[in-house]
Amino acid sequence: MGGERARRLFTAVAIPGALAEEVLGRVKAGVPESGFRFPRPDGLHLTLHFLGDVEPGRIDALCRALERSLVRIPGPVDARLAGTGAFPRRGEERVLWAGVEARSGALEDLLAAALVGAEEAGFDVAEHRSRPFRPHVTVARPRGAARAPETFWSLDLSGTFRVEAVTLFESVPSERGPNRYVALRDFGLVRGDVEK
Ligand code: 2AM
């Protein structure tokens, strides 16, 4: 029994590689590498639900439940990166991000389905459900107490992409550099034109 290490999982929308490369290139041009860490372009994402450490024995049931809940959501969803922001707020930046927008309610529907899937697999999502949802893609984190330079706020981080699936990611620590975000499974949205 046991022995296998827990896996740090989250559900997210993956940002396509070409857009991720381009956007991170623009971020690196406006934010000094000496003060900030940047995510890798592969695995750049919009987090829906951070599950935390999950026992490996629960992953199959989680995938089955996510598949059932996400296949009910019509897709694809046309989304765009728009604007810059920070958590917790400008002036106390711990995370610098690009905002994400789509037609009204579309990203909220993806989040709701991701939470329903996790809940059906036995995860407690009550706290996540009550939390405000600020769709964003993390593009930099300060090293120590570095502050975002003025150049960050005026960066153009816009770009469009098409969401056809929600992805279960694993956050894998790496000895050097930022964690790697590894896509484990994609859960496709039902094609909207099939429903009609
Ligand atoms: P983010 O979406 O603001 O970047 C994997 O760690 C992803 O899950 C990150 O993108 C991270 O934040 C998000 N996340 C949310 N809550 C987290 C937590 N408590 N610990 C680590 N990551 C968390």
Side-chain angles (χ1 to χ4, degrees):
M1 291 284 286
E4 264 198 281
R5 69 175 172 82
R7 317 256 303 261
R8 179 159 288 211
L9 304 184
F10 61 99
T11 47
V13 171
I15 306 302
L19 177 60
E21 296 263 7
E22 196 189 314
V23 163
L24 286 172
R26 285 185 245 156
V27 172
K28 287 177 185 174
V31 175
E33 207 148 341
S34 54
F36 290 80
R37 290 179 204 285
F38 305 102
R40 301 164 200 267
D42 62 319
L44 198 72
H45 61 271
L46 152 64
T47 302
L48 295 173
H49 177 207
F50 179 75
L51 290 113
D53 289 340
V54 175
E55 293 302 320
R58 301 181 73 184
I59 296 177
D60 279 351
L62 173 64
C63 287
R64 285 194 299 274
L66 287 170
E67 187 158 27
R68 283 194 301 272
S69 63
L70 283 155
V71 81
R72 294 185 202 131
I73 304 294
V77 172
D78 286 319
R80 58 195 168 275
L81 300 182
T84 51
F87 290 142
R89 63 185 68 82
R90 187 169 178 171
E92 296 170 31
E93 302 91 9
R94 301 307 310 155
V95 168
L96 303 186
W97 46 257
V100 186
E101 297 173 351
R103 74 174 153 69
S104 176
L107 299 175
E108 288 75 9
D109 287 349
L110 295 180
L111 169 62
L115 292 176
V116 164
E119 188 170 43
E120 285 182 5
F123 292 84
D124 181 359
V125 301
E127 199 226 316
H128 270 92
R129 216 170 245 145
S130 63
R131 230 185 247 176
F133 179 40
R134 299 285 304 279
H136 69 276
V137 173
T138 295
V139 293
R141 295 174 197 272
R143 301 173 194 268
R147 288 279 321 277
E150 279 307 311
T151 44
F152 172 72
W153 303 106
S154 52
L155 284 177
D156 173 10
L157 299 185
S158 59
T160 59
F161 60 104
R162 180 157 273 200
V163 182
E164 305 199 69
V166 163
T167 301
L168 179 65
F169 277 96
E170 178 173 6
S171 175
V172 180
S174 73
E175 280 163 31
R176 280 172 54 85
N179 287 3
R180 277 190 314 123
Y181 300 131
V182 179
L184 300 182
R185 273 278 302 271
D186 284 338
F187 304 97
L189 312 181
V190 70
R191 288 204 54 104
D193 49 7
V194 172
E195 277 203 324
K196 288 177 190 149

